[in-house]
């Protein structure tokens, strides 16, 4: 018998318990580094060294971070379900926890790419410790400056149509640790077929609609409760 499909949409709250700063909360990364300086194409054009230095710093902070129990419980769902993780996060903690099907919407922090053609697979490469920094003037294989493999604000989200297709095929849709304020990712729940259950795990009030089962807990505690519901 074919396994039912669970699509899990994760945001910054998924990784907060692993010690990674969320972007939007008080004292989040955007409080200290304005979006306009580090996360737009215009910022890259104006000062690529400053932008690369910001992501070099994030990589150095992320390299010792480990998945939390929530990540491992998402992986555990694969014992009984076909699980697709769609993440807004740029960390690789889902992969570290063993999740086998992860779609990154906003890029991947540990990867760098061509600044001429961001999605050309020939020039995307993964940085590994201890060599986690892009040096000033360092170039990709096509001769353009190396840039972070991150979807900057204002750029298209290449994997959004793939994620929307997965959401449409979901038997169960789960949202963990996202404010549902960031589009187009926040719109994915609207692709879920009517009548299919939607669960939201977040300790805060989120305006998600009356058809959503809200588990008001953090990622790990919320996933424990959800596993109790879904894994009989």
């Amino acid at each position: 018998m074919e396994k039912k499909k669970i699509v899990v949409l994760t945001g910054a709250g998924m990784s907060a318990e692993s010690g990674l700063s969320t972007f939007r909360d008080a004292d989040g990364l955007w409080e200290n580094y304005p979006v306009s300086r580090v996360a737009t194409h215009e910022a890259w054009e104006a000062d690529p060294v400053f932008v690369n230095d910001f992501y070099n710093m994030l990589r150095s902070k992320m390299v010792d971070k480990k998945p939390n129990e929530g990540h491992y419980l998402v992986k555990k769902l694969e014992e009984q379900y076909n699980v697709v993780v769609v993440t807004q996060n740029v960390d690789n903690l889902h992969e570290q926890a063993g999740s086998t099907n992860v779609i990154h919407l906003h890029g991947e922090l540990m990867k760098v790419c061509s600044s001429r053609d961001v999605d050309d697979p020939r020039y995307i490469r993964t940085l590994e410790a201890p060599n986690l920094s892009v040096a000033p003037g360092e170039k990709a294989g096509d001769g353009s400056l190396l840039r972070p493999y991150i979807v900057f604000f204002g750029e298209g989200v290449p994997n959004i149509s793939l994620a929307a297709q997965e959401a449409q095929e979901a038997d169960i849709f789960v949202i963990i640790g996202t404010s549902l304020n960031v589009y187009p990712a926040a719109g994915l729940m609207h692709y879920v077929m009517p009548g299919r259950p939607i669960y939201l795990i977040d300790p805060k009030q989120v305006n998600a609609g009356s058809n959503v089962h809200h588990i008001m807990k953090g990622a790990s505690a919320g996933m424990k409760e959800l596993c109790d519901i879904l894994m009989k």
Side-chain angles (χ1 to χ4, degrees):
M1 190 171 127
E2 192 175 346
K3 291 180 177 179
K4 285 188 172 182
K5 177 182 283 192
I6 294 181
V7 175
V8 183
L9 172 65
T10 65
M14 182 82 232
S15 298
E17 291 173 34
S18 295
L20 290 175
S21 295
T22 59
F23 283 85
R24 286 176 172 73
D25 286 346
D27 202 35
L29 282 170
W30 295 147
E31 288 288 315
N32 303 313
Y33 296 90
V35 171
S36 59
R37 291 291 315 278
V38 296
T40 66
H41 186 71
E42 291 75 19
W44 169 259
E45 292 284 332
D47 196 343
V49 173
F50 185 84
V51 173
N52 269 331
D53 280 348
F54 172 73
Y55 291 96
N56 290 344
M57 178 271 293
L58 288 187
R59 281 185 216 103
S60 70
K61 287 188 170 190
M62 196 182 88
V63 69
D64 62 346
K65 303 302 183 194
K66 302 298 180 195
N68 60 60
E69 189 177 7
H71 291 102
Y72 287 111
L73 289 172
V74 169
K75 161 61 179 171
K76 186 177 175 62
L77 289 173
E78 293 186 19
E79 293 173 9
Q80 294 183 22
Y81 294 91
N82 171 14
V83 180
V84 179
V85 177
V86 178
T87 187
Q88 296 169 269
N89 299 334
V90 296
D91 61 58
N92 59 4
L93 297 179
H94 282 296
E95 288 90 343
Q96 284 189 48
S99 287
T100 56
N101 191 348
V102 183
I103 298 169
H104 284 269
L105 293 181
H106 296 156
E108 297 178 65
L109 180 60
M110 289 302 191
K111 294 184 178 180
V112 290
C113 60
S114 156
S115 53
R116 182 175 300 139
D117 185 354
V118 173
D119 293 307
D120 189 327
R122 293 175 297 174
Y123 308 119
I124 298 170
R125 60 186 175 90
T126 302
L127 301 180
E128 295 181 357
N131 303 310
L132 296 174
S133 293
V134 175
E138 192 172 348
K139 292 190 165 64
D142 63 355
S144 70
L145 286 175
L146 265 184
R147 62 160 268 185
Y149 187 54
I150 297 290
V151 178
F152 290 149
F153 283 84
E155 293 182 332
V157 179
N159 285 333
I160 195 65
S161 55
L162 175 60
Q165 180 66 37
E166 296 289 358
Q168 207 163 24
E169 295 173 2
D171 296 296
I172 301 166
F173 193 73
V174 179
I175 304 160
I176 308 172
T178 172
S179 60
L180 295 176
N181 288 329
V182 180
Y183 284 83
L188 288 173
M189 63 183 288
H190 302 303
Y191 286 89
V192 180
M193 299 295 282
R196 303 281 167 87
I198 300 175
Y199 295 91
L200 167 67
I201 295 171
D202 198 288
K204 298 177 182 172
Q205 282 288 356
V206 178
N207 185 19
S210 59
N211 62 326
V212 175
H213 308 278
H214 189 176
I215 299 172
M216 290 188 73
K217 295 180 178 178
S220 294
M223 274 303 302
K224 276 188 200 168
E225 185 171 323
L226 185 64
C227 284
D228 287 342
I229 296 168
L230 297 181
M231 300 186 76
K232 303 298 185 189

